[in-house]
Each structure stands twice: as structure tokens, then as C-alpha cells.
Amino acid sequence: MIAAEVIVHCLAEEGVDLVFGYPGGAVLPLYEALRGGVLRHVLVRQEQAAVHSANGYARVTGRVGVCIGTSGPGATNLVTGIATAYMDSIPLVVITGQVKTSYIGRDVFQEVDITGASESFTKHNYLVRDAAHLPRIIKEAFHIARTGRPGPVLIDIPSDVQAETLKYHYPKDVSIRGYKPTEKGHMGQVKRAVKAIREAKRPLLFAGGGIFLSNAQQELAQFAETTGIPVVHTLMGTGCLPTDHPNLIGMIGSHGFKYANKAMEMADLLIFVGARIADRATGGIQEDLLANRDIIHIDVDPAEIGKNVGCDIPVVGDARLVLLQMLPLVQPLPLEKWRADLKAVKEAEQTPLEFGALVNPKHAIRVLSGMLDDHAVLVADVGQNQFWSARNFQIHGTRRFLCSGGFGTMGYSIPAAVGAKMADPSRTVVSVMGDGSFQMSMYELGTIKANKIGLKMVLFNNSKLGMVRELQDNRYGEPFGVMLDDNPDFTALVAAYGFPVRKVETNEKLEETFREMLAHEGPFFVECIVDSKESTL
Amino acid sequence: MNRHILSVLVENQSGVLSRVSGLFSRRGYNIDSLTVGETEDPKTSRMTIVVRGDDYILEQIKKQLNKLIDVIKIIELKPNQAVYRELALIKVDAPPESRSAVISTIDIFRAKVVDVGKESLTAEITGDQSKVDAFIELMSPFGIREIVRTGLTALERGSREIKEHKKYEEE
Ligand SMILES: Cc1ncc(C[n+]2csc(CCOP(=O)(O)OP(=O)(O)O)c2C)c(N)n1
């Protein structure tokens, strides 16, 4: 069998049904093998989108997302997407073509050292010099991408290697000497954690994106319900519990809710679960606070424990498995006063929205949220639109909220939403964007059209790079380099692709327009005109 | 900032050195020396890395190194539990007037003369770092022309092998 066909068979063996890619000279043999139709290939319009789509696909299915690019510029276009996935620990296998083995190192046409370039933001990467190693490498790549702390793995395959012949045999097992992630928590540490929880007066659970990566939503709910411990979460942890869950306080961080940050200040024991406690998550919290709290940190990546905050009780392990280990050991705790205090803080802070002449984006998300079904996926971009969404989209049922958290990559929403929609076409998927971020990925309208992807798009047009405008306002007074007043007519632009489009300029029109959008089968585009002075919080 | 010596087993593959050294520069860890060579098993290499940092940095270095898929095991070698060696070659001025003084200093240190030129000679010294440092200091009045040092390499004392150590996070 030709190595390129071997690759396709190995991918199928891993359960891959869909790959996002963009061809070129260095992946010609691979594209010939894809022509066979074993896997569905989706042609994106720029390689970065292929990675984001694989990212959205992975997050909705819980499986490894796969994307392909050619050598040189194809590979470097993938870079931002790979780094985005790395920062949010999304499992991906990224395949790049490379120049012929004998040409490597000679600066030939479209040669780039992509394994070197991506070293610091892939979980691991391979340059395949011998086709005989391909099945083992692909097996290892999927294993590494999906287990432990998930992440992207890149496989760089020279074009001559893709054309070699070999006997196809896919290994059953993987054995990597240096890679044995800890899954279950150390029982001694689990018991210490339980003891600390029992003795705490004001314990607080702090959930991160790891809850989704380990599929621990149910176990988190059970743990919170059994003990009565309140829960705050990071941006990536949004949706860890339903919005109306009695234990849920809300999102912490520099763009989180003040009352959630306040809850952290009031707590005497913090239980971090699947969170790395990054700067943005603790941004709204007093500096020395974390040093003076008892901290339990549950994370599958031992390197995260003690990295950003000190830790009294480290528990290395998969969030779901550790919660399952702790569950039989905990009882209801007498936390009535603590919970009542938090409730009071939260209620004191509920401020009504202010309405002007144009669309209030926070209100728009609330209206949309009220109309979507229980399985909808909302994919926000980066900027103000991200936090308008995160703070106002309600989670219930199996709804998901996705965004680029750790890397904050503008242009994430459309391609990631494409991946989410293709992963499960039965779900309603809404992409929410700003006018800046939309323009970073609007080429993907072509992919949506060609593949008839029934994506709903909501653009908040404030004629500015809103988030940066706000930072400048707060810090320097005058906006600079953030003006998008010469935006094109977005509805006319999208209409050119043949999708229905609507422009909404008042809050009154929102409900009617969203109803129309959701009733429509195929792609639909709604532009909301927003006051450029609108604040994030 | 304390000095620590890490002994690291890694896969003997191309790219490993770049992953390890890249990690140090990227995360701003201070590295004094790094030596690497094949072990008793040709599939495995062993690195001896001398780093500087407080306990937090040391912990981070170990954890981050351990995340690299090609890193098999890391142990820290404590000063009294290991033997350390470094080799240095020193080319020093040795005109007829001072040649015998140079050679007698070399003899005192049980170093060796490995090459002789008309106006200079090259000495080889092996020892722990303080011995090499002291030797260099005593050679410098004669006029040192060039020095190359291999960096430190080290092995635990006694019969225990690195394989018998637990992974550090289990300790
Ligand atoms: C690729 C990239 N470039 C720059 C930034 C910095 N940045 C963060 S938010 C933002 C403004 C986003 O503007 P827009 O998409 O219009 O959304 P808004 O904030 O107005 O909702 C910028 C430029 C980024 N996050 N990503």
C-alpha cells in the first residue's frame, strides 16, 4: 500500500470521519489517497480555519480533530490555530506535507521547519523520515493528543515518504516510555483534600475548561450538590453547571462577575478543578489573596500545580476520576450561612441593562439565549462580543459555549462554529462576532456556502475594535488604530454568497429577526448595529 | 540562586536536544551546562544539566522537562550522593623560561600534558568543577590562550541505577 493510503486508513482506524484541509504540492500523494473517499475532506479557504474547525469539531465530539496543510506557507498558516488549540488543551492531530527528504535543510521551494517552529506550542511533534514508522507515529499521535492533558500533535510528512510503499498494519497498542499520564488521584492526597473540605468554613469550587476535557460536568454537579459547596468558573469553564444551578455563583476573572471574584476573596478554601489559574482568571482578584487561602488543586497536568499559585494539597489526576474518588468520602456540609452570604453579594450586584437607540448586545444575547433550544452551541469570537456572550448566554441541557480562551485568537468563531456544526448537524450552532473578528475569517463564508453548512451568524457591528477601544478609553482617553468606520456593507457582502441577511438597528427588531434566523434551514446572517461606546461589562 | 544537577534519561532521537534546550531558553531558566551522550542502551541518551534557581524554579524545570514526551526520567543528584566529573583542555603559554613551572603545576593537579608546541602546551584536567576552576586559576598567570570545558557529567554513588528511581512526582 502507498504510505498516503496508509495514513488515510490509520485515520479511519482512529474513528476520524472528517478532515479539514488545504492542498498543495507537498501533500499531493495524500490528497490522491483522500480522493478515495474513505474520509470526508472539507476544503477550507485558509489553513488557519482548518485548525479552528478541527478545534470546534473536537470540542463538540470529544474526539480528536484532524486537519491538513501543505509545506511552507500552508504549514505556517496553521501556526496560529495550533497555538490556539494548545492554549486551550484541545486534542488535534495536524498533518503537514514537507519537501522531499533529500531536500530538507536546503531551503528549497516551500520548505519550512514546522516541527521546529511549532515545538513550543504542540504537545508533541514528529518529522517522519521513514514510511515504515507512519502507523506507529499516527497511533502515538492520537494517543498523546487525547490522553492526559489533551493538546495538538503535529506530524510532518515529506512528500516522498507519502509515496513510499509499505505493508499496512495498524498497531493495537501504544507504549511510549516517557509518557504515562496519571489518571487517578493519589488516594492519600484525595483523603487529605476531603479532610480539608470537611474542616473548611467557606469552601469554594473553582472549575476550569478541564471539566469539559475530562467530561466531568455530571460529577462536578454531584459533588457540589452533595457537599453544598458553591461553584465559580473560568471563561473556559463556562457551562460547567447549568446557569440556574443553585450552587453556581458565576464566572470569575478580569471580565467576570464582581460577585464571583468577591466570592473568591471571601472563601477560606479554594478547590481548583481542571483550571490553570491563569492571569486573566485571577485578574479581578487582589494579588495577595491567593497566598492566604488554603488551596486544593486537582489537575491532570502536574506542571500546572504550583505554577501560578501556591498549593497546599495537590491532586494530580483526571478531574472526573478524582471527583469520583472523592464523592463517596464527602457528606453534606453545614454551609447555610456561607451560601446565604454569597447569595446576598450576588443579588446586591444585579444591575439592570441600559438601553439606547441602537442594539444592546447584552440584551441581544439574552433574547437569543431565550429562543435557542437546549442543545444549541454558541461560539463567540474574541473581544467585547466574547464577554457579552459569555456573561449573557444561559446554559441548560447540553448547550455549549465555545471561544478561544487562552490565546484569545480573533477570527476563531466562524471556523470553529463550522467544525461544531459539521460535527453534529442536528445542533443549532450560532457564531457571534465583532466587526473586526468577522473580517479575520470572513473568507470562510466560501466554505459555508460550498458545504451548505447551516450556521447562524450574528455580527455585532460597533465600527470599532471594541475591546481595544475600551482599553484605550480607560487608560489613555483617545482611541487610536481601532477605527473601522469604513466597514463595507456586511449584509451586501454576505448576500453575495447567497445567504439570507438581515440588519437590525433597534432592540425591538431582535426577537422577530432571530426567530426568522432560527426557523431558516441553511446559513443565515444577522448584523446588529451597536453603539461604539458600549461597555464590555 | 542554588545550583542543582539534574540527570535526565531521554530517547536517543534527533530533535531531543533542541526540545530540551528550547524549553530552557523559552521559559527563561538559567542553565550552566548541559552534556549529553548515549547510554548502555543505544536507544537512550542521558543528559546532565546544571541549572540555577530557587526551589520554585527547580520544581518547574523538572515538571516542564517531564512533560516532554521524549524525556523518560529525571533525577536530581545531590552533592554528597553523586560523583561529578568535568574535563577541560587548556592551551597555555609555555616558553622555555616558564615551561618547567607550568609542567610542575600540571603535575601537582595530576593533570596531563596532551600536546606540546614550541611556545605553548595543552593540558588536560579531569575532576569536579572546583578542581577544574582551581587549576585554571593557577594556570592563568602563565598566560592562557584557549580553554574548552565539557560541562559537568555525574553519576549517583553506590549500586542504585536511575531506572530504580521512581518518577519524581511519585516521591
Ligand atoms: C489575532 C488577534 N489580533 C489582535 C487581537 C487583539 N484584540 C483583542 S480584542 C480586539 C478587538 C476585537 O474587535 P471586534 O472583533 O470588532 O470585537 P469587539 O471587541 O468590538 O466585540 C483586538 C484587536 C487579538 N485578540 N487577536
Side-chain angles (χ1 to χ4, degrees):
Chain A
M1 202 184 269
I2 303 283
E5 293 164 0
V6 168
I7 298 169
V8 171
H9 279 86
C10 293
L11 294 179
E13 197 85 45
E14 287 293 335
V16 177
D17 54 359
L18 188 62
V19 296
F20 301 90
Y22 210 96
V27 283
L28 279 178
L30 182 55
Y31 269 71
E32 272 315 293
L34 285 170
R35 195 198 286 265
V38 178
L39 312 174
R40 178 164 178 202
H41 170 262
V42 176
L43 174 67
V44 296
R45 295 301 185 262
Q46 207 260 41
E47 289 85 352
Q48 185 182 136
V51 201
H52 290 329
S53 290
N55 178 320
Y57 174 95
R59 291 176 73 177
V60 163
T61 57
R63 301 211 303 266
V64 178
V66 179
C67 60
I68 300 172
T70 190
S71 68
T76 50
N77 269 353
L78 294 166
V79 161
T80 301
I82 299 172
T84 303
Y86 184 75
M87 289 296 265
D88 289 339
S89 309
I90 309 300
L92 299 184
V93 167
V94 179
I95 297 173
T96 47
Q98 180 55 278
V99 300
K100 276 182 9 190
T101 319
S102 57
Y103 285 172
I104 290 179
R106 296 215 242 151
D107 301 323
V108 297
F109 180 63
Q110 295 194 329
E111 178 183 2
V112 75
D113 171 18
I114 193 64
T115 47
S118 65
E119 193 178 274
S120 65
F121 47 83
T122 47
K123 187 169 170 187
H124 194 51
N125 62 33
Y126 297 89
L127 169 57
V128 186
R129 289 178 178 274
D130 180 348
H133 298 156
L134 261 174
R136 171 185 58 80
I137 287 175
I138 294 176
K139 182 87 190 171
E140 286 182 4
F142 275 85
H143 176 70
I144 292 169
R146 117 166 47 94
T147 56
R149 177 180 182 174
V153 178
L154 180 138
I155 312 177
D156 195 25
I157 315 175
S159 58
D160 57 327
V161 171
Q162 295 168 38
E164 277 178 45
T165 41
L166 69 153
K167 242 186 98 199
Y168 175 63
H169 168 73
Y170 198 57
K172 285 252 164 328
D173 306 303
V174 212
S175 166
I176 307 167
R177 288 194 287 178
Y179 181 69
K180 306 255 172 348
T182 311
E183 296 189 329
K184 274 189 140 184
H186 185 286
M187 209 51 214
Q189 295 299 82
V190 169
K191 285 185 181 151
R192 277 182 66 206
V194 169
K195 181 163 179 285
I197 289 170
R198 204 179 302 132
E199 288 166 2
K201 298 251 172 343
R202 297 180 305 281
L204 186 67
L205 280 155
F206 178 114
I211 297 295
F212 295 101
L213 298 169
S214 76
N215 208 2
Q217 295 97 307
Q218 234 180 329
E219 289 72 16
L220 177 71
Q222 239 175 312
F223 191 83
E225 286 158 18
T226 309
T227 56
I229 302 175
V231 180
V232 296
H233 60 81
T234 63
L235 177 64
M236 290 302 286
T238 302
C240 63
L241 291 181
T243 312
D244 58 3
H245 193 282
N247 291 63
L248 189 75
I249 306 297
M251 180 171 76
I252 49 95
S254 45
H255 292 99
F257 294 100
K258 273 202 202 118
Y259 53 79
N261 291 334
K262 190 87 201 288
M264 286 192 60
E265 287 171 24
M266 291 161 72
D268 66 347
L269 172 71
L270 296 170
I271 309 152
F272 295 116
V273 194
R276 62 196 174 93
I277 320 154
D279 53 332
R280 283 294 166 104
T282 51
I285 297 155
Q286 279 168 22
E287 284 243 330
D288 56 343
L289 170 126
L290 293 163
N292 302 322
R293 293 290 177 284
D294 284 337
I295 289 177
I296 299 171
H297 195 165
I298 302 167
D299 204 292
V300 74
D301 180 359
E304 286 305 339
I305 298 179
K307 186 176 87 179
N308 295 335
V309 292
C311 173
D312 304 289
I313 307 175
V315 188
V316 178
D318 175 79
R320 186 173 149 272
L321 296 181
V322 173
L323 286 171
L324 280 172
Q325 284 176 288
M326 289 167 79
L327 265 169
L329 307 177
V330 292
Q331 302 90 25
L333 301 168
L335 301 175
E336 291 75 17
K337 165 108 177 45
W338 170 225
R339 294 179 57 154
D341 289 350
L342 288 181
K343 198 162 166 232
V345 173
K346 185 168 176 174
E347 272 162 13
E349 215 190 284
Q350 302 296 341
T351 41
L353 295 181
E354 284 169 26
F355 290 94
L358 299 170
V359 170
N360 179 324
K362 302 160 197 170
H363 174 68
I365 295 291
R366 290 184 192 182
V367 170
L368 180 64
S369 182
M371 299 171 71
L372 287 165
D373 63 47
D374 274 3
H375 313 292
V377 181
L378 188 148
V379 188
D381 215 286
V382 168
Q384 296 191 292
N385 65 86
Q386 185 176 22
F387 293 97
W388 293 333
S389 299
R391 292 165 61 98
N392 294 289
F393 180 58
Q394 304 263 321
I395 299 289
H396 29 79
T398 55
R399 278 189 184 183
R400 285 293 301 273
F401 169 79
L402 308 180
C403 68
S404 159
F407 214 47
T409 308
M410 281 174 71
Y412 175 79
S413 175
I414 285 202
V418 163
K421 182 70 182 171
M422 298 202 83
D424 186 352
S426 74
R427 293 177 87 149
T428 304
V429 180
V430 186
S431 162
V432 174
M433 301 157 284
D435 43 332
S437 39
F438 173 57
Q439 292 184 80
M440 280 212 186
S441 276
M442 65 186 182
Y443 50 76
E444 279 305 284
L445 292 169
T447 307
I448 296 171
K449 178 169 159 47
N451 294 278
K452 303 188 175 58
I453 300 165
L455 187 65
K456 313 302 173 197
M457 291 164 273
V458 176
L459 171 70
F460 289 123
N461 184 355
N462 53 7
S463 308
K464 296 277 178 303
L465 298 172
M467 177 73 92
V468 181
R469 185 277 308 157
E470 188 175 47
L471 289 171
Q472 290 179 336
D473 269 1
N474 293 344
R475 216 175 291 171
Y476 307 105
E478 285 296 303
F480 171 75
V482 295
M483 257 63 110
L484 297 175
D485 302 288
D486 292 323
N487 271 328
D489 176 350
F490 289 119
T491 53
L493 188 126
V494 178
Y497 286 83
F499 310 153
V501 295
R502 297 288 179 275
K503 189 187 270 193
V504 182
E505 289 176 80
T506 61
N507 293 298
E508 291 66 42
K509 280 273 184 202
L510 283 170
E511 195 173 330
E512 173 192 330
T513 311
F514 287 153
R515 179 160 305 123
E516 214 184 334
M517 171 178 90
L518 295 174
H520 183 78
E521 274 266 321
F524 199 104
F525 181 85
V526 176
E527 177 185 8
C528 299
I529 308 299
V530 170
D531 190 324
S532 63
K533 286 278 176 205
E534 191 69 60
S535 67
T536 301
L537 302 185
Chain B
M1 285 220 285
N2 295 326
R3 212 171 76 121
H4 305 274
I5 293 150
L6 300 177
S7 194
V8 185
L9 278 188
V10 299
E11 296 287 348
N12 188 4
Q13 272 168 14
S14 66
V16 178
L17 185 58
S18 130
R19 287 183 212 273
V20 170
S21 59
L23 179 82
F24 277 86
S25 58
R26 191 156 66 236
R27 292 196 182 260
Y29 303 144
N30 289 309
I31 193 166
D32 273 9
S33 71
L34 188 159
T35 64
V36 60
E38 206 173 276
T39 65
E40 68 284 357
D41 168 9
K43 283 194 186 141
T44 310
S45 297
R46 189 154 170 173
M47 294 183 176
T48 305
I49 310 175
V50 182
V51 298
R52 274 175 203 282
D54 55 21
D55 289 351
Y56 168 78
I57 296 282
L58 179 67
E59 184 74 19
Q60 278 297 309
I61 291 176
K62 288 194 214 169
K63 284 174 163 179
Q64 295 295 344
L65 275 176
N66 213 46
K67 274 178 80 162
L68 297 178
I69 308 287
D70 288 333
V71 169
I72 301 162
K73 193 174 286 179
I74 304 161
I75 60 170
E76 186 181 353
L77 295 172
K78 301 280 184 192
N80 48 2
Q81 292 161 3
V83 284
Y84 306 93
R85 288 294 178 272
E86 180 176 16
L87 185 144
L89 295 174
I90 297 148
K91 193 179 283 177
V92 61
D93 284 339
E97 319 78 270
S98 62
R99 184 161 290 220
S100 63
V102 173
I103 291 174
S104 72
T105 314
I106 290 172
D107 287 342
I108 294 167
F109 273 83
R110 286 199 222 138
K112 267 195 293 195
V113 176
V114 287
D115 186 56
V116 184
K118 266 203 200 115
E119 292 292 320
S120 74
L121 56 80
T122 300
E124 171 201 306
I125 181 158
T126 313
D128 62 17
Q129 264 180 324
S130 58
K131 180 176 169 186
V132 175
D133 289 343
F135 181 65
I136 290 171
E137 199 183 321
L138 286 184
M139 282 287 112
S140 44
F142 299 117
I144 292 175
R145 297 185 175 200
E146 279 183 291
I147 299 179
V148 281
R149 301 176 71 151
T150 57
L152 203 68
T153 185
L155 205 55
E156 193 176 10
R157 290 181 188 276
S159 52
R160 187 146 90 137
E161 296 167 34
I162 188 167
K163 287 185 205 129
E164 296 163 33
H165 281 264
K166 286 188 180 163
K167 283 184 83 165
Y168 78 95
E169 69 234 60
E170 295 162 19
E171 278 168 0

